[in-house]
C-alpha cells in the first residue's frame, strides 16, 4: 500500500516537473525570439530596459515577500514545536491522562519547519511578484520624474508629483498592505494550529508569543493605514462628489480635515496595540479600533453630508466659486484648450459667383465621397482578388501635378484568411502569400459618368494618372498582416496576379530575423507553437522570419506605455509606402481635470510613429519634445525618440491634426469654452456636438478633414472641422478648426457666430432638404424596391466669411455593394438645390459664372460600359438615370453628337420602362 502511494506521488511529481520544464522552455524561447526581434529593429536597449525593469521589480517584490514571511514564520517555530510535544495524551490502566512527548521520529523538528517555511514563503513570494507585472512603468517614471513647472491649486505641489511620484507611493502603500495582511493571515494560521495541537481549542491564541506577534503585526497595519490616510488627502484632487470634478468646498473643509484626524487616530491605535501587548488587556484595543471606526463614519460620512446640506447648498454657486474656477483652469490646461484662438465669424453672409471663382482651391477639394460607401466601392472595383482587402479609407493631401489636392486612399492588403479553402495550406499562408500590393487613390471630388470614383492610382501593378508613382508597392506590414511569414526561402513568393497567371518575387529587405541555424529554427517553432516550421524543406539558414507584422501590435510591442490613435493612415512618399500613426502621452493624475475616457484626464499628441510598409522599420518622432511625460520616457529610453526635424520633409508634409485628439478636445470645448464661473455653474452657454443623417438614421456628426482657405489667410490649408450647436437647439453657434500644415500645425481655432443671429446647423439643413418637394420626391422615387438611397456626410464648408453646406447622395442596388454617387445637394442662404454634379449645383445657386475649372468629370471608359441590358423596372430606372447624367455631362463638354446618341438611348430605355410598367 505504501509502495503504491509512493509511486503515485512520484508519477505526479514527474508530471508536474515535465509541465514546468516545457513551460519554462516555451517562456525562454519566446523571450529569445522577442530579443531577436527587438535587435533586428535596433531597439535592443528598449527590450533590455523593459525586461530588467519588469524582472527586477518582480524579483525585488518576491524577495521582500519571502524575507518578510520567512522571518515572521521563523518566530513561530518554538511555539509550534512545543505544541507538537504536548499533542500526544496517553492513558494509563487506571484512566489517568499523562502527557508524554511522542517518539523522536514523530516530532516536528526545527529543520523540518524551516524547510516548510522556506517553501511556503517562496511560493507566496512568487505569487505576489506576479501581481506587480506591468508596474515597472510606475517605478521607472518615479526614478526619472520631470517637473511640469505648474503647481496644483490646493497643495501647491508641482503637477509632476502627481504624475510620477504619487503613483509610486500608492503602489508602495498597496504593497505594504498586502505584506502585512498576508503575513498576519499565515502567522495567525500557524498559531491557531499550534493552539489546537496544545489542546487550547477554546482560545488557540492565548500563548504570549502569539499575543506579542499578532499585536505587533496589527500595530504595523494601523501605522501603514495612517500613511494611507495621508495619501488619500491627495486623492481629493480627483473627487467626483461636487459640482465639478476635483475637490469642492466640502472636500477641502470637511473631508481633508477628516483625513488629517484619521491619520492621527490610526497612529494612536497602533501605539495602543503595542502598549496593550505588555499590559495584557484586550479591551483598550477594542475601544481604540471601535473609536477609529466610529470616527471614520462621522468624519467621512455624516460631517461632510451635514456641511454640504447646511453650508454649501443654500449658496452653492458662491461657495464653490474658487473650485469651479480651478476646474476650468486645470481642465483647459490638461487638454491644451487654453491655447485655442477665438475669432468671430459673421452670420447671414452670402457669397457670389466671383467668390466661388476666387476660392477654387476650396471648391475643388470639397469631399463628395463618404468613406463608408467609398470603402464598398473600392472593394468592388480595386480588390481584384478575394484575398485582397481594403481595411480602411484614409483622407490625406498631396501636391498632384502642381495642385494641392485632397485625396482618399487605401492600402490593398493581403488577408490569408480569405484564401480559398483548398489554398489555405501552411506553405501558402507562411511562405507564399506574404504581402499586399499597392494602393488605390482617388480625389475627393471627381466622379466618372457612372457615379464612380475617378482614380489617380489604381490596379495591379499600380497605374498612376498623375505625377505620383508607387515604386515599392509591396505591403509586408499593415493592419491585416496577423501571421508570421518566412521570406528568402528556396522558392519565390507570390507577388501579384497577372491575368490567369501570377508574378513572383523575392524579398529584398534586411530587417527580418535570420534563421541562421537549426537550433534557432527550433526555438522559433517552440515560440510560435508551430512544429511545421521544422518540417518545411523550403527554409534555409539564409531565410528571414518576419513576425509581429500587424502594425498595431508591432508598435505597441516597442512602446506599450503610449496611447495610440484608432486610425493609422497610409502615406505614399518618395515612391514608397509608409504608415503614419499618432501616439499620445496620457495620464489620469492631472488635478481637477475632467476625465475623457474612463479616468484619463490629460492628453498630448507627443509622438508621431512612422512604419515602413515594406521593411517594417519603426521610427518614433518626438512631436512635442518639451512635454514632461515624453521627457520622462526619453530619460527611461535614451535614443528611442527621434526629433521631429529629422523626419523626411515629404513625410512631414503628411502629418495631420490627430482625429481622436481633435474629437476629445471638441467634446471638452463644448463645456470648457465657458470661463466665467457663473455661466459655467448654470451651463447657460453649453454647446453640443451636432448630429446628421447618414442613410436614414440620425447619428453623431464626426469631425472631417477638408482643404479651405481660412478667413484672413493667404493660402488654402488642410484642416479638421467640427461644428457646434447650442444645448437643446439645432442652429450652429461656432465651429472648431484643427490646423495641419506648416508652422500652423497643431493650432486650434474656434470661430464663433453672433448669438443673436441664426446660422443653420446640420440637422436644420437636413430638415430643409427633407422639406424640399423636388428633392424629397426624387429621393422617394429612387428609394424604391431594389435600390437604396444613401445620404452621405453633410459637410459645412467655410468660404470667405460665409458657409455652404454640401451633402452627396449615393444610389445602391440591394443586390449590389457598389454605391454610385448620383446627386450633390448644396445649400447656401435660402437656397437648397440638388444636381448631378457639384458644379451644376453651384451654378444653379450662383449662376453660370460659378463654374469650376476644370469642371468636367471623366467620361466612362469603354470597359466600364454595361455588358448586359437591364431587364427589371428598378434596373431600367437606374439605367435611365445613368443615361440622363451622361447626356448632361456630354452637353457640358460640347459633345453634341454624343449628347444626341445618349438621348436616343434614354428614349429607348424609357419606352422599355413604360412597357414593363404596363
Amino acid at each position: 500500500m505504501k509502495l503504491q502511494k509512493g509511486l503515485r506521488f512520484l508519477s505526479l511529481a514527474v508530471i508536474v516537473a515535465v509541465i514546468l520544464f516545457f513551460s519554462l522552455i516555451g517562456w525562454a524561447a519566446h523571450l529569445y525570439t522577442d530579443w531577436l526581434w527587438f535587435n533586428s529593429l535596433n531597439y535592443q536597449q528598449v527590450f533590455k530596459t523593459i525586461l530588467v525593469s519588469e524582472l527586477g521589480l518582480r524579483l525585488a517584490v518576491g524577495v521582500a515577500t519571502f524575507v518578510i514571511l520567512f522571518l515572521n514564520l521563523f518566530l513561530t517555530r518554538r511555539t509550534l514545536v512545543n505544541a507538537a510535544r504536548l499533542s500526544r495524551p496517553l492513558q494509563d490502566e487506571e484512566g489517568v491522562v499523562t502527557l508524554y512527548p511522542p517518539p523522536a521520529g514523530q516530532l516536528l523538528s526545527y529543520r523540518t519547519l524551516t524547510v516548510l517555511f522556506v517553501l511556503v514563503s517562496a511560493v507566496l513570494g512568487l505569487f505576489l511578484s506576479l501581481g506587480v507585472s506591468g508596474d515597472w512603468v510606475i517605478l521607472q517614471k518615479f526614478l526619472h520624474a520631470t517637473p511640469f513647472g505648474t503647481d496644483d491649486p490646493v497643495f501647491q505641489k508641482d503637477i509632476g508629483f502627481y504624475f510620477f511620484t504619487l503613483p509610486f507611493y500608492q503602489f508602495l502603500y498597496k504593497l505594504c498592505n498586502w505584506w502585512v495582511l498576508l503575513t498576519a493571515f499565515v502567522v495567525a494560521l500557524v498559531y491557531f494550529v499550534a493552539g489546537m495541537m496544545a489542546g487550547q481549542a477554546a482560545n488557540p491564541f492565548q500563548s504570549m508569543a502569539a499575543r506579542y506577534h499578532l499585536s505587533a503585526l496589527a500595530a504595523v497595519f494601523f501605522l501603514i493605514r495612517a500613511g494611507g490616510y495621508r495619501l488619500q488627502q491627495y486623492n481629493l484632487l480627483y473627487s467626483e462628489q461636487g459640482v465639478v470634478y476635483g475637490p469642492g468646498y466640502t472636500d477641502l473643509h470637511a473631508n481633508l480635515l477628516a483625513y488629517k484626524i484619521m491619520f492621527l487616530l490610526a497612529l494612536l491605535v497602533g501605539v495602543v496595540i503595542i502598549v496593550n501587548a505588555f499590559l495584557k488587556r484586550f479591551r483598550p484595543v477594542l475601544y481604540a479600533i471601535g473609536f477609529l471606526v466610529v470616527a471614520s463614519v462621522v468624519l467621512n460620512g455624516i460631517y461632510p453630508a451635514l456641511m454640504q446640506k447646511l453650508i454649501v447648498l443654500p449658496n452653492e454657486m458662491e461657495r464653490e466659486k474658487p473650485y469651479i474656477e480651478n476646474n476650468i483652469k486645470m481642465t483647459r490646461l490638461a487638454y491644451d484648450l487654453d491655447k485655442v484662438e477665438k475669432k468671430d465669424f459673421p452670420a447671414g453672409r452670402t457669397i457670389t459667383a466671383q467668390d466661388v471663382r476666387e476660392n477654387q482651391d476650396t471648391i475643388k477639394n470639397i469631399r463628395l465621397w463618404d468613406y463608408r460607401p467609398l470603402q464598398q466601392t473600392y472593394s468592388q472595383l480595386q480588390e481584384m482578388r478575394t484575398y485582397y482587402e481594403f481595411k480602411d479609407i484614409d483622407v490625406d493631401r498631396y501636391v498632384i501635378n502642381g495642385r494641392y489636392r485632397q485625396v482618399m486612399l487605401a492600402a490593398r492588403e493581403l488577408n490569408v484568411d480569405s484564401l480559398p479553402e483548398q489554398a489555405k495550406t501552411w506553405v501558402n499562408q507562411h511562405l507564399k502569400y506574404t504581402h499586399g500590393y499597392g494602393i488605390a487613390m482617388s480625389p475627393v471630388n471627381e466622379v466618372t459618368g457612372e457615379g464612380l470614383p475617378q482614380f489617380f492610382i489604381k490596379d495591379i501593378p499600380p497605374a498612376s494618372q498623375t505625377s505620383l508613382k508607387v515604386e515599392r508597392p509591396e505591403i509586408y506590414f499593415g493592419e491585416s498582416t496577423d501571421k508570421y511569414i518566412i521570406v528568402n526561402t528556396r522558392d519565390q513568393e507570390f507577388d501579384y496576379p497577372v491575368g490567369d497567371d501570377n508574378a513572383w518575387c523575392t524579398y529584398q529587405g534586411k530587417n527580418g530575423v535570420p534563421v541562421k541555424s537549426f537550433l534557432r529554427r527550433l526555438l522559433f517553432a517552440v515560440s510560435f507553437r508551430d512544429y511545421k516550421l521544422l518540417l518545411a524543406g523550403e527554409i534555409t539558414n539564409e531565410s528571414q522570419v518576419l513576425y509581429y507584422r500587424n502594425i498595431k501590435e508591432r508598435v505597441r510591442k516597442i512602446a506599450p506605455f503610449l496611447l495610440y490613435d484608432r486610425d493609422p493612415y497610409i502615406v505614399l512618399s518618395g515612391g514608397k509606402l509608409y504608415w503614419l500613426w499618432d501616439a499620445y502621452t496620457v495620464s489620469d493624475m492631472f488635478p481637477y481635470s475632467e476625465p475623457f475616457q474612463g479616468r484619463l484626464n490629460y492628453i498630448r499628441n507627443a509622438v508621431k510613429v512612422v512604419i515602413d510598409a515594406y521593411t517594417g522599420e519603426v521610427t518614433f518622432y518626438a512631436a512635442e519634445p518639451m512635454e514632461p511625460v515624453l521627457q520622462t520616457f526619453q530619460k527611461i529610453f535614451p535614443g528611442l525618440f527621434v526629433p521631429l526635424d529629422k523626419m523626411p520633409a515629404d513625410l512631414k508634409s503628411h502629418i495631420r491634426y490627430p482625429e481622436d485628439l481633435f474629437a476629445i478636445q471638441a467634446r471638452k470645448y463644448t463645456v470648457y469654452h465657458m470661463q466665467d464661473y457663473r455661466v459655467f455653474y448654470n451651463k447657460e452657454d453649453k454647446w453640443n456636438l451636432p448630429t446628421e443623417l447618414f442613410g436614414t438614421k440620425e447619428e453623431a456628426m464626426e469631425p472631417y478633414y477638408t482643404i479651405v482657405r481660412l478667413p484672413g489667410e493667404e493660402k488654402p490649408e488642410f484642416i479638421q472641422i467640427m461644428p457646434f450647436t447650442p444645448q437643446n437647439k439645432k442652429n450652429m453657434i461656432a465651429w472648431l478648426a484643427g490646423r495641419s500644415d506648416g508652422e500652423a500645425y497643431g493650432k486650434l481655432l474656434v470661430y464663433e457666430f453672433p448669438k443673436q443671429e441664426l446660422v443653420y446647423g446640420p440637422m436644420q439643413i437636413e430638415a430643409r432638404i427633407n422639406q424640399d418637394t423636388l428633392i424629397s420626391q426624387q429621393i422617394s422615387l429612387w428609394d424604391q424596391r431594389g435600390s437604396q438611397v444613401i445620404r452621405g456626410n453633410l459637410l459645412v464648408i467655410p468660404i470667405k466669411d460665409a458657409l455652404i453646406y454640401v451633402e452627396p447622395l449615393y444610389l445602391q442596388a440591394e443586390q449590389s455593394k457598389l454605391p454610385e454617387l448620383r446627386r450633390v445637394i448644396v445649400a447656401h442662404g435660402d437656397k437648397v438645390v440638388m444636381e448631378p454634379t457639384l458644379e451644376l449645383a453651384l451654378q444653379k445657386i450662383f449662376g453660370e459664372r460659378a463654374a469650376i475649372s476644370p469642371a468636367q468629370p471623366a467620361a466612362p471608359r469603354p470597359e466600364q460600359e454595361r455588358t448586359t441590358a437591364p431587364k427589371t423596372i428598378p434596373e431600367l430606372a437606374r439605367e435611365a438615370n445613368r443615361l440622363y447624367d451622361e447626356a448632361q455631362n456630354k452637353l457640358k463638354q460640347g459633345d453634341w453628337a454624343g449628347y444626341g446618341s445618349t438621348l436616343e438611348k434614354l428614349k429607348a430605355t424609357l419606352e422599355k420602362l413604360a412597357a414593363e410598367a404596363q
Side-chain angles (χ1 to χ4, degrees), residues 679-690:
V679 176
F680 189 96
Y681 176 84
N682 294 308
K683 298 296 185 286
E684 296 173 16
D685 193 25
K686 185 179 183 299
W687 298 347
N688 282 342
L689 300 182

Side-chain angles (χ1 to χ4, degrees), residues 279-347:
L279 298 178
K280 302 177 184 179
R281 295 177 181 176
F282 191 58
R283 285 187 179 180
V285 174
L286 287 179
Y287 293 153
I289 295 175
F291 183 73
L292 183 68
V293 172
V294 172
S296 177
V297 172
V298 173
L299 293 173
N300 289 308
I302 298 174
Y303 177 56
L306 289 174
M307 178 175 286
Q308 182 71 21
K309 186 173 183 179
L310 300 178
I311 299 177
V312 177
L313 287 180
N315 191 18
E316 187 175 50
M317 185 175 72
E318 294 303 323
R319 290 287 185 188
E320 300 286 3
K321 173 190 173 182
Y323 316 112
I324 295 174
E325 291 174 338
N326 287 341
N327 172 262
I328 294 171
K329 176 186 175 183
M330 300 302 281
T331 300
R332 288 171 62 87
L333 278 173
Y335 296 100
D336 244 3
L337 301 180
D338 59 313
K339 297 176 183 176
V340 175
E341 184 179 354
K342 296 172 65 174
K343 293 187 176 183
D344 292 329
F345 199 91

Side-chain angles (χ1 to χ4, degrees), residues 185-339:
F185 173 77
V186 174
V187 167
L189 185 62
V190 171
Y191 284 124
F192 177 81
V193 171
M196 297 299 291
M197 292 172 64
Q200 301 169 354
N203 185 7
F205 302 109
Q206 67 181 1
S207 70
M208 294 301 296
R211 282 190 176 186
Y212 287 138
H213 199 167
L214 293 176
S215 294
L217 289 174
V220 171
F221 171 78
F222 281 103
L223 293 176
I224 292 173
R225 190 73 189 93
Y229 285 124
R230 192 79 171 178
L231 292 178
Q232 280 183 276
Q233 297 179 34
Y234 300 117
N235 288 339
L236 288 175
L237 293 172
Y238 316 102
S239 170
E240 301 180 46
Q241 306 302 316
V243 294
V244 292
Y245 187 85
Y249 184 93
T250 301
D251 288 312
L252 296 182
H253 290 81
N255 291 325
L256 182 58
L257 176 63
Y259 286 135
K260 290 179 178 179
I261 295 174
M262 294 300 294
F263 166 74
L264 296 174
L265 290 178
L267 289 177
L268 180 63
V269 171
V271 172
V272 169
I273 292 173
I274 293 174
V275 171
N276 178 72
F278 297 96
L279 298 178
K280 302 177 184 179
R281 295 177 181 176
F282 191 58
R283 285 187 179 180
V285 174
L286 287 179
Y287 293 153
I289 295 175
F291 183 73
L292 183 68
V293 172
V294 172
S296 177
V297 172
V298 173
L299 293 173
N300 289 308
I302 298 174
Y303 177 56
L306 289 174
M307 178 175 286
Q308 182 71 21
K309 186 173 183 179
L310 300 178
I311 299 177
V312 177
L313 287 180
N315 191 18
E316 187 175 50
M317 185 175 72
E318 294 303 323
R319 290 287 185 188
E320 300 286 3
K321 173 190 173 182
Y323 316 112
I324 295 174
E325 291 174 338
N326 287 341
N327 172 262
I328 294 171
K329 176 186 175 183
M330 300 302 281
T331 300
R332 288 171 62 87
L333 278 173
Y335 296 100
D336 244 3
L337 301 180
D338 59 313
K339 297 176 183 176

Side-chain angles (χ1 to χ4, degrees), residues 344-353 355-356 359 362-363 366 704 706 708-712 719 721 732 735 751-754 757-760 765 795-806 826-830 842 845-846:
D344 292 329
F345 199 91
R349 299 278 182 90
T350 58
I351 56 175
T352 65
D355 295 323
V356 173
N359 288 270
T362 297
I363 298 296
I366 292 176
Y704 54 90
T706 188
V708 301
R709 184 186 300 163
L710 291 170
I719 66 171
I721 287 180
M732 201 158 78
W735 56 279
Y751 291 89
E752 297 187 12
F753 300 106
E757 298 186 42
L758 173 66
V759 176
Y760 289 114
I765 295 296
L795 304 182
V796 182
I797 306 295
I799 297 180
K800 205 174 178 180
D801 54 0
L803 301 174
I804 64 171
Y805 305 82
V806 180
V826 176
H828 178 68
D830 58 355
L842 292 175
I845 292 179
F846 301 107

Side-chain angles (χ1 to χ4, degrees), residues 86-287:
L86 301 174
S87 64
R88 291 181 59 84
L90 301 177
Q91 289 185 344
D92 59 16
E93 294 178 354
E94 298 179 359
V96 178
V97 177
T98 308
L99 297 178
Y100 294 95
Q106 299 181 31
L107 274 172
L108 274 175
S109 68
Y110 285 107
R111 178 178 298 177
T112 304
L113 283 176
T114 301
V115 172
L116 180 62
F117 289 164
V118 166
L119 290 175
V120 170
S121 301
V123 170
L124 292 177
L126 175 63
F127 278 113
L128 198 59
S129 71
L130 295 174
V132 299
S133 182
D135 289 330
W136 63 268
V137 179
I138 297 175
L139 173 62
Q140 284 287 8
K141 288 199 293 187
F142 170 74
L143 295 175
H144 300 88
T146 303
F148 272 65
T150 302
D151 293 343
D152 81 275
V154 176
F155 300 105
Q156 304 302 314
K157 287 186 175 292
D158 187 89
I159 302 299
F161 169 80
Y162 301 99
F163 273 53
F164 310 119
T165 306
L166 182 59
F168 181 70
Y169 290 165
Q170 292 172 333
F171 168 75
L172 286 181
Y173 170 68
K174 292 175 184 177
L175 201 55
C176 290
N177 264 332
W178 270 107
W179 281 333
V180 172
L181 293 174
L182 185 62
T183 302
F185 173 77
V186 174
V187 167
L189 185 62
V190 171
Y191 284 124
F192 177 81
V193 171
M196 297 299 291
M197 292 172 64
Q200 301 169 354
N203 185 7
F205 302 109
Q206 67 181 1
S207 70
M208 294 301 296
R211 282 190 176 186
Y212 287 138
H213 199 167
L214 293 176
S215 294
L217 289 174
V220 171
F221 171 78
F222 281 103
L223 293 176
I224 292 173
R225 190 73 189 93
Y229 285 124
R230 192 79 171 178
L231 292 178
Q232 280 183 276
Q233 297 179 34
Y234 300 117
N235 288 339
L236 288 175
L237 293 172
Y238 316 102
S239 170
E240 301 180 46
Q241 306 302 316
V243 294
V244 292
Y245 187 85
Y249 184 93
T250 301
D251 288 312
L252 296 182
H253 290 81
N255 291 325
L256 182 58
L257 176 63
Y259 286 135
K260 290 179 178 179
I261 295 174
M262 294 300 294
F263 166 74
L264 296 174
L265 290 178
L267 289 177
L268 180 63
V269 171
V271 172
V272 169
I273 292 173
I274 293 174
V275 171
N276 178 72
F278 297 96
L279 298 178
K280 302 177 184 179
R281 295 177 181 176
F282 191 58
R283 285 187 179 180
V285 174
L286 287 179
Y287 293 153

